[in-house]
Amino acid sequence: GRRVCVVVKEGCNQFLNAILLIGAYLMLMMEQSPETAAKTLAPLEAVATRKHYKTEGEEMADDLPITIQHCLRGIQLALDVGLVNLD
C-alpha cells in the first residue's frame, strides 16, 4: 500500500484538518465511501492528540464526540442533497 506523511506543527489542530482533507480527497477523487475513507484514515486519527474534530476557538465537549467519519458523512450528505456542486 501507499504511505502518507502528514507534516504539521506539534500541538495544533492542523493535524486533524489535514486528515479531514485527505478523507475528502479519498471520497471525491478516489470515489471511496465515507466509511471506507475513515477506515483508511483510522491509523492517522489514532495517533492524533485528540480524536474529535473541532473548529478554532471551540471547547472540546466529551458528551458530543465528532469523528472524522462524521465529518466525511456530512460532506457526502452535502453532495447528495446538492449543497455542493463540483462541476
Side-chain angles (χ1 to χ4, degrees), residues 8-79:
V8 294
K9 287 200 289 188
E10 186 177 356
C12 68
N13 296 328
Q14 293 176 3
F15 186 66
L16 288 172
N17 291 340
I19 295 171
L20 181 59
L21 289 173
I22 294 167
Y25 175 84
L26 292 173
M27 288 175 51
L28 299 172
M29 302 306 293
M30 306 302 283
E31 299 181 357
Q32 290 187 9
S33 69
E35 292 75 23
T36 302
K39 185 176 179 182
T40 301
L41 297 170
L44 289 175
E45 188 175 14
V47 299
T49 55
R50 296 182 209 148
K51 290 188 179 181
H52 308 288
Y53 182 79
K54 69 182 187 78
T55 58
E56 290 291 324
E58 288 183 14
E59 293 297 321
M60 294 299 295
D62 292 336
D63 60 339
L64 184 61
I66 299 174
T67 64
I68 295 296
Q69 185 171 345
H70 290 121
C71 296
L72 296 177
R73 285 183 186 159
I75 291 170
Q76 186 63 57
L77 179 63
L79 290 166

